[in-house]
Amino acid sequence: MRRGAITQGSVLKALAEYDELGRDEFLEKYGFGEARSYVVVHNGREYDSKAIAGVAHQWDQGRALRPDEFSGGKEHAAAWLKREGFQVKAVKNPDWARDEIILACQLVMENRWKGLDAQDARVVELSGLLQLLPIHAEAERNEKFRNPNGVARKTFDIATRHPEYQGKPTNGGALDVAVLVEFLARPDEMTEVARLIRRGIAAGELQSLAPTEDEEFDDYSAPEGRLLMRRHQARERNKRLRKKKIASVIQRGGRLACEACGFDFEDVYGDRGAGYIECHHVVPLHEAGEGRTKLSDLALICANCHRMIHRRAPWPTPAELRASIERKHAADRRAAEAIARPRRAADEQMPNP
């Protein structure tokens, strides 16, 4: 049986049976529970998306899928239904991303670390801004996505986690606390991050930076937010800047070797690797701002070291990563020498034949 091999016609048949039996009888008949993540919308009505997708299989594949054979999320039911042209929307809104919490935390800080009411003009303004952020897909949002009530609740989640707050904290997540701690530790830098996010959205710059296929960073590995990270990566991938950086190094008689580990693509791959190396934007995102990227802001590094730098925060500079590599090599040499030393001593004590 091929999971997901359904057609628009089979989905319409499942929807018709759902209407005929009613929700409770339809779900009970096929053993499904109520949708927890997504619903499919058809002719103004909402249907449990996982149940509809599973039942649709009986007309294309001979039997309905059981609930334990697939998921109702983006990888299975929701994706299959969208592929056939049906509207799928989220039952609940997505978790807050770091970018969103940074903007909310800045507002709470400006309000002397106190939460704000939903009617506050600043909350209403932030609600509108959050709805413009290109982080969460439309299908993941419902009609209450980042509305003033939700934004106000988030400000209290942050305010009640402040070290000086004496009462019981409201619900919140680890990311709320992490961002709060960063604002307390480096308020000027984090305020500048919030300003850059706001400015980038107002100018339309950040909205044009869609996520790339290899966007693997999460909210903990992108300390200043996904949107500034996308701009950071866009600068690193600027072919014109990369060519200029490589040309400047060659003109000075330098080698195209990784500044962290020394790897040289031409030495290893010959002509195929000649002239190739990646660029890393060394300047922190909150300092890079909207200004033009200078060649001195870029470092030449190999793909492996580039991945290691971006793997998690805080990001090391190429020099710091090189120092870490050298320490690792030194430790390995000491360990190898310690293992070899007893062997040499034993060899010296062996009588000559």
Side-chain angles (χ1 to χ4, degrees):
M1 186 178 198
R2 294 175 55 205
R3 293 186 304 173
I6 56 178
T7 62
Q8 186 179 83
S10 64
V11 174
L12 290 174
K13 289 180 180 179
L15 292 170
E17 184 179 4
Y18 187 108
D19 289 336
E20 181 182 349
L21 297 178
R23 183 188 195 189
D24 292 342
E25 187 175 342
F26 181 86
L27 295 179
E28 183 178 358
K29 176 180 177 180
Y30 293 102
F32 285 90
E34 296 180 1
R36 292 180 295 177
S37 300
Y38 296 95
V39 292
V40 58
V41 182
H42 182 66
N43 290 339
R45 290 193 60 188
E46 296 181 357
Y47 301 80
D48 300 88
S49 57
K50 183 176 181 180
I52 293 297
V55 173
H57 281 72
Q58 70 179 336
W59 286 285
D60 291 312
Q61 300 289 320
R63 70 169 176 84
L65 281 179
R66 297 189 305 272
D68 61 354
E69 292 182 299
F70 68 113
S71 77
K74 292 183 287 186
E75 300 300 320
H76 289 152
W80 302 338
L81 292 167
K82 284 193 287 186
R83 184 191 65 207
E84 296 306 319
F86 291 93
Q87 179 189 354
V88 177
K89 75 173 188 178
V91 173
K92 63 178 183 178
N93 284 311
D95 292 338
W96 283 61
R98 177 179 285 268
D99 306 64
E100 299 171 300
I101 298 174
I102 287 173
L103 295 177
C105 197
Q106 185 220 5
L107 184 56
V108 176
M109 184 178 71
E110 291 178 349
N111 199 45
R112 299 183 180 180
W113 297 111
K114 296 178 181 178
L116 295 90
D117 295 329
Q119 294 75 30
D120 192 297
R122 294 167 293 177
V123 169
V124 175
E125 184 272 337
L126 180 56
S127 170
L129 179 64
L130 293 175
Q131 291 171 11
L132 293 176
L133 296 188
I135 295 177
H136 306 292
E138 288 297 324
E140 296 176 348
R141 311 178 183 197
N142 63 30
E143 62 278 1
K144 295 182 179 180
F145 177 79
R146 304 302 183 253
N147 66 8
N149 287 331
V151 174
R153 283 196 300 272
K154 180 55 66 175
T155 67
F156 280 94
D157 290 342
I158 294 169
T160 59
R161 296 301 180 104
H162 191 280
E164 296 180 1
Y165 182 75
Q166 298 298 316
K168 182 179 179 181
T170 61
N171 292 332
L175 195 54
D176 296 338
V177 177
V179 173
L180 169 62
V181 168
E182 290 177 35
F183 265 91
L184 294 175
R186 44 192 187 104
D188 293 340
E189 292 181 13
M190 295 305 293
T191 297
E192 179 63 8
V193 169
R195 187 189 74 82
L196 290 173
I197 294 173
R198 281 179 167 273
R199 183 183 177 94
I201 292 300
E205 175 192 354
L206 296 180
Q207 284 149 306
S208 65
L209 297 174
T212 57
E213 292 183 0
D214 62 343
E215 182 175 282
E216 295 180 357
F217 53 85
D218 56 28
D219 283 318
Y220 288 91
S221 63
E224 291 163 297
R226 300 183 197 180
L227 300 179
L228 294 186
M229 178 63 180
R230 287 176 191 171
R231 184 170 67 185
H232 177 98
Q233 290 186 326
R235 289 179 174 179
E236 290 182 337
R237 291 166 177 161
N238 185 310
K239 294 181 179 179
R240 182 178 58 82
L241 277 176
R242 178 177 162 274
K243 288 180 179 179
K244 282 189 174 182
K245 178 67 176 180
I246 289 175
S248 70
V249 171
I250 293 175
Q251 287 171 3
R252 295 196 308 269
R255 293 172 57 238
L256 297 185
C258 177
E259 296 181 26
C261 72
F263 185 88
D264 187 314
F265 284 88
E266 186 173 9
D267 283 351
V268 176
Y269 298 108
D271 291 342
R272 179 176 288 273
Y276 178 80
I277 197 163
E278 293 188 4
C279 276
H280 169 61
H281 199 289
V282 180
V283 181
L285 307 185
H286 66 273
E287 293 180 14
E290 301 90 9
R292 296 178 62 184
T293 300
K294 302 186 294 291
L295 294 184
S296 57
D297 296 338
L298 301 173
L300 298 181
I301 57 177
C302 71
N304 282 347
C305 288
H306 205 178
R307 286 276 182 169
M308 290 299 101
I309 286 174
H310 282 306
R311 189 179 184 199
R312 62 173 176 265
W315 298 339
T317 64
E320 290 169 340
L321 186 61
R322 181 174 63 249
S324 175
I325 293 170
E326 290 172 351
R327 287 194 298 271
K328 175 68 168 60
H329 288 173
D332 289 345
R333 285 194 298 271
R334 288 193 297 271
E337 291 170 357
I339 293 173
R341 197 173 300 120
R343 293 179 180 175
R344 287 197 296 269
D347 290 343
E348 292 173 358
Q349 294 174 10
M350 289 286 290
N352 292 326

